[in-house]
Amino acid sequence: MSNTLINSNTNQFVPMDAIFPAEDGHVAGLMSVGERLRHARSKAGLTLDSASARTRIRRDYLEALEHMDPRGLPSRAYTIGYLRTYAAFLRLDVGPIVDQFKQEVECDTGRAQPTAPKQKVEIKLPRGVLGVAVILCCVIAAGAWYATQIGKQAELAETTPRESVRVEAPKALVAELEESIGVDQVWANLPSARSHRSLILRASAPTFVEVRDASGRILFSRDLQPGEAYRAPDEPGLTVLTENAGRIFAYAGGQSLGPIGEQGQAVENVSADTLLGRSASTNTADAAYSGGL
């Protein structure tokens, strides 16, 4: 029997496998390259994963070949190479498979969008970059807020007239200050110079004198020259120290109480209260000194 039939209308030869079905029930002449590959793999009992593992061809490439999807294929040269390897692995006639694939699929420009799911590309920033970016954003925000506040204060200062602030003293204090205070009122609470409690020490010759209070604190300590005097404070417990008690004369209330000791006698801790307790008497030798007080 002849392998071909003559078409009476077109006078062309038609391959027999384009009319008669193959043993597995598919029409060989009407099958695409992808269908032939998928049929051969299924007939061999292989999965895409097992075929990929044995041929060392990526699974998505094999899947794109079986579905005739050029978007999932690499460039033409790589695609033809993978097709030859896959067809030989499935024990198909490599030459016709490649020729048919070239007619059915245009893959000169290589793969466009693969049918396999895209892997997510993670963009990893260097360590510290995110923190620096956050800090920079915070600084910029703070600067913008500060500039806004400064602008608002400037606008408020321009629109609001400045008013002088007058601080008024309390009325009670003003009334008290307005009252006239005399000199007598200022010195009213001070002890009088003629008070009997006010002790005056006057030197008739250069002599060292020291006066202490009741706690032992030194109130006065130096040499008194002839005619110089020291007025002690009006408080109890005062003591007097001198190198020559006969040259230091005590006065109180404008009266002479005489020297505090003997001529050339050094004394210490002489009680001022004792000196003030002396009877007031006028000493002829001290008349010249008492007349000046």
Side-chain angles (χ1 to χ4, degrees), residues 39-61:
H39 174 71
R41 177 177 58 78
S42 299
K43 187 176 180 180
L46 299 173
T47 63
L48 282 174
D49 293 331
S50 60
S52 173
R54 296 178 63 178
T55 59
R56 299 182 181 277
I57 301 174
R58 288 173 47 176
R59 184 186 186 282
D60 57 335
Y61 288 168

Side-chain angles (χ1 to χ4, degrees), residues 151-168:
K152 290 182 179 179
Q153 292 180 1
E155 293 178 359
L156 183 61
E158 292 178 358
T159 56
T160 305
R162 295 184 178 180
E163 297 181 357
S164 59
V165 179
R166 181 179 179 183
V167 179
E168 296 183 355

Side-chain angles (χ1 to χ4, degrees), residues 30-276:
L30 300 180
M31 293 175 64
S32 66
V33 172
E35 291 174 342
R36 296 176 65 180
L37 293 174
R38 185 167 60 255
H39 174 71
R41 177 177 58 78
S42 299
K43 187 176 180 180
L46 299 173
T47 63
L48 282 174
D49 293 331
S50 60
S52 173
R54 296 178 63 178
T55 59
R56 299 182 181 277
I57 301 174
R58 288 173 47 176
R59 184 186 186 282
D60 57 335
Y61 288 168
L62 298 182
E63 185 177 7
L65 287 172
E66 291 185 0
H67 289 84
M68 301 297 288
D69 186 0
R71 298 175 300 173
L73 296 173
S75 62
R76 180 183 179 88
Y78 286 102
T79 300
I80 298 300
Y82 292 150
L83 179 61
R84 289 179 181 276
T85 301
Y86 193 32
F89 170 73
L90 297 176
R91 297 183 179 181
L92 297 176
D93 193 355
V94 177
I97 289 290
V98 172
D99 294 339
Q100 182 180 353
F101 181 82
K102 291 179 179 179
Q103 295 176 2
E104 293 178 350
V105 177
E106 292 293 337
C107 58
D108 292 339
T109 58
R111 179 170 59 177
Q113 297 180 356
T115 56
K118 293 183 180 181
Q119 296 181 353
K120 295 182 180 180
V121 179
E122 296 183 359
I123 301 176
K124 296 183 178 180
L125 297 176
R127 292 183 177 179
V129 173
L130 182 59
V132 172
V134 172
I135 294 175
L136 183 60
C137 293
C138 293
V139 171
I140 294 175
W145 178 84
Y146 182 74
T148 303
Q149 296 299 319
I150 293 297
K152 290 182 179 179
Q153 292 180 1
E155 293 178 359
L156 183 61
E158 292 178 358
T159 56
T160 305
R162 295 184 178 180
E163 297 181 357
S164 59
V165 179
R166 181 179 179 183
V167 179
E168 296 183 355
K171 295 182 178 180
L173 179 59
V174 173
E176 182 179 352
L177 293 177
E178 289 178 351
E179 296 179 357
S180 61
I181 302 176
V183 177
D184 295 338
Q185 293 177 340
V186 174
W187 299 99
N189 296 327
L190 295 179
S192 174
R194 303 295 181 179
S195 173
H196 292 284
R197 299 295 303 174
S198 179
L199 177 66
I200 299 175
L201 300 176
R202 183 183 295 275
S204 62
T207 308
F208 175 77
V209 177
E210 182 177 280
V211 179
R212 294 175 179 264
D213 62 7
S215 64
R217 181 170 57 94
I218 298 176
L219 303 178
F220 178 80
S221 178
R222 71 178 181 87
D223 291 331
L224 285 179
Q225 299 302 319
E228 288 186 342
Y230 167 72
R231 183 187 299 274
D234 188 5
E235 61 182 65
L238 299 181
T239 57
V240 181
L241 178 148
T242 182
E243 296 176 346
N244 191 347
R247 296 297 184 181
I248 299 299
F249 292 82
Y251 296 86
Q255 296 181 357
S256 174
L257 305 180
I260 65 175
E262 300 295 333
Q263 184 72 23
Q265 178 187 9
V267 296
E268 60 180 344
N269 296 329
V270 176
S271 174
D273 294 335
T274 302
L275 296 176
L276 291 173

